[in-house]
Amino acid sequence: QMQLAESGGGLVQAGGSLTLSCVVSGLTFRRHAMGWFRQAPGKEREFVAAISWKDGSTYYADSVKGRFTISRDNAKNTVYLQMNSLKPEDTAVHYCAADYYGSSSGSPYEYEHWGQGTQVTVSS
């Protein structure tokens, strides 16, 4: 089975930066669209960013556009989320997800595989 493992979360001051990593097991990583989602207590899971399996095209939620960068390294089976200019409202558990031959959808229902999540906390 395909497995995903996030890392890199932690506590950071507002305006600071963090980089999240997600290492994916299996031989089909290159054929999966990859996404990052986040969920704060009492809120719905929301889309953050996604990257295409086919051409590396990237997509971002309006709330993070210009601050976050998603990238992937197919040789390392890893997807990254570089987060700059962090705000307290970015505080959430962050999840990576994989969608086989996916369209880099912003809907969490389109993704078949999920990691356990990593906590990002931004202090004011």
Side-chain angles (χ1 to χ4, degrees), residues 16-62:
S17 299
L18 283 174
T19 299
L20 306 183
S21 300
C22 177
V23 179
V24 180
S25 65
L27 300 176
T28 60
F29 176 77
R30 292 183 181 182
R31 295 186 289 276
H32 285 76
M34 299 297 301
W36 285 97
F37 294 79
R38 66 189 185 188
Q39 188 166 22
K43 295 186 177 181
E44 296 288 319
R45 187 166 298 187
E46 66 174 344
F47 171 73
V48 177
I51 186 165
S52 171
W53 65 269
K54 187 174 183 179
D55 59 8
S57 297
T58 57
Y59 309 88
Y60 298 94
D62 289 341

Side-chain angles (χ1 to χ4, degrees), residues 79-101:
V79 62
Y80 304 93
L81 185 68
Q82 174 66 47
M83 304 183 293
N84 298 322
S85 301
L86 283 162
K87 305 174 181 179
E89 50 263 46
D90 295 319
T91 296
V93 178
H94 285 66
Y95 301 89
C96 64
D99 182 13
Y100 187 58
Y101 282 103

